[in-house]
Amino acid sequence: MNTKNTHCLNCHNVVKGNYCSKCGQSVHTSRINIKHLVEELQYGFLHINKGILYTTKELIFRPGKTVKDYILGKRIKYTKPFVFLIIVGVVYSLVFHFFHYFPMQEMNRQDSPIFEYIPIYKWYLEHYSLVVLLIIPFYSLSTFWLFHKKEYNYAEHLVLFSYLTGAKIALLLCFYAIIYLTKSPHVYKIAQIFSEIYLIWGLTQFFKTTSWIKTLLKVLLSLVMALIIMLIIISIAFLILQIYNVKL
C-alpha cells in the first residue's frame, strides 16, 4: 500500500504523521500474507503471555493494590479481569486433564463414608470448577452490601473477585506438582486452605482503611453470608430437580 496516502484506510480521516489521530491506526499498512499472520500471532501470544504473568505476579504479592490500580484506571499493564479468570481456568482444566489426576474425585471417594448422605456435597466435589465461577456473583453481592460505604459499584466487586479467584486458581496450579507426585488429596486440601487464606488476605488488603481487625471480621462475615445464600439457593434447586427426577 502507498504510505504517502494522507487519508486513514480505516476511518478516512486526514492523517498528519504516521498514525491516525482519530482511530490510532498506522498509515504503514501492507497486504496480508503468511509472514504478516505469523508476526501478528507471535505478537498477540507474547503480549497476552506477558500480561498474564505480570498480572498473576502482582495479584499474588499485592492483590489489594493491584485491583485498586485497575479499578482506578491503571489498566494497560494488566490482563482484563474476566479474560484473566477464563485463561487461568482453562489452563487449570488442561493441566488436570493432561495428567489424568483429579484430586477432587479422590476427596469424594475418601469422604464418601462421612458425607454419603449429603448429595449436595458430592455434587459440589464433582462440579468444583463450576461452583468456583458460580459463587463469584454471591461473593460480590455480599461485599457490595457490607462494604457499601467504600462506594464501589457491583461491577467493580465482580472485577475484584474475578481477579482474586483467578489468582487462587493460579496458586492451586503452583501446588499441583506436589499434589501429583504425592497423589495425596490431603495435600490438595492444604493447598485449598492456603488459597482461601490468600482470598481473605486479598480482600482485607483491598477494603482496609483504618482497622485491620474490623476489616478482617467484615470480610469473613461477607464470605460466610455468600456461602449461606448460595447453599440455600443450590439446595432449593437440588430439591426441585429431585422432585421432577432431573439428573445433573
Side-chain angles (χ1 to χ4, degrees), residues 154-205:
Y154 181 67
E156 289 167 337
H157 285 264
L158 286 173
V159 166
L160 170 64
F161 278 100
S162 295
Y163 268 141
L164 294 185
T165 302
K168 275 180 58 180
I169 295 172
L171 286 172
L172 289 175
L173 282 172
C174 293
F175 279 98
Y176 187 76
I178 302 174
I179 296 169
Y180 180 76
L181 291 173
T182 60
K183 295 292 192 297
S184 171
H186 302 296
V187 176
Y188 186 70
K189 288 179 181 180
I190 292 172
Q192 279 193 309
I193 292 171
F194 183 80
S195 68
E196 292 300 327
I197 292 173
Y198 162 81
L199 175 64
I200 294 168
W201 171 60
L203 290 171
T204 304
Q205 190 182 92

Side-chain angles (χ1 to χ4, degrees), residues 81-145:
F82 305 115
V83 174
F84 175 76
L85 177 61
I86 291 170
I87 292 175
V88 176
V90 168
V91 172
Y92 178 87
S93 298
L94 290 176
V95 168
F96 274 53
H97 282 83
F98 180 80
F99 288 98
H100 301 290
Y101 181 72
F102 307 92
M104 294 302 291
Q105 292 182 3
E106 295 298 323
M107 287 172 60
N108 187 25
R109 281 196 285 269
Q110 290 195 11
D111 290 343
S112 57
I114 303 174
F115 296 102
E116 62 182 349
Y117 298 110
I118 310 178
I120 196 169
Y121 177 76
K122 182 178 179 181
W123 184 89
Y124 158 74
L125 292 178
E126 292 175 349
H127 301 83
Y128 176 73
S129 297
L130 179 61
V131 172
V132 167
L133 295 176
L134 287 177
I135 202 169
I136 288 177
F138 295 97
Y139 276 154
S140 303
L141 187 60
S142 65
T143 54
F144 177 67
W145 284 339

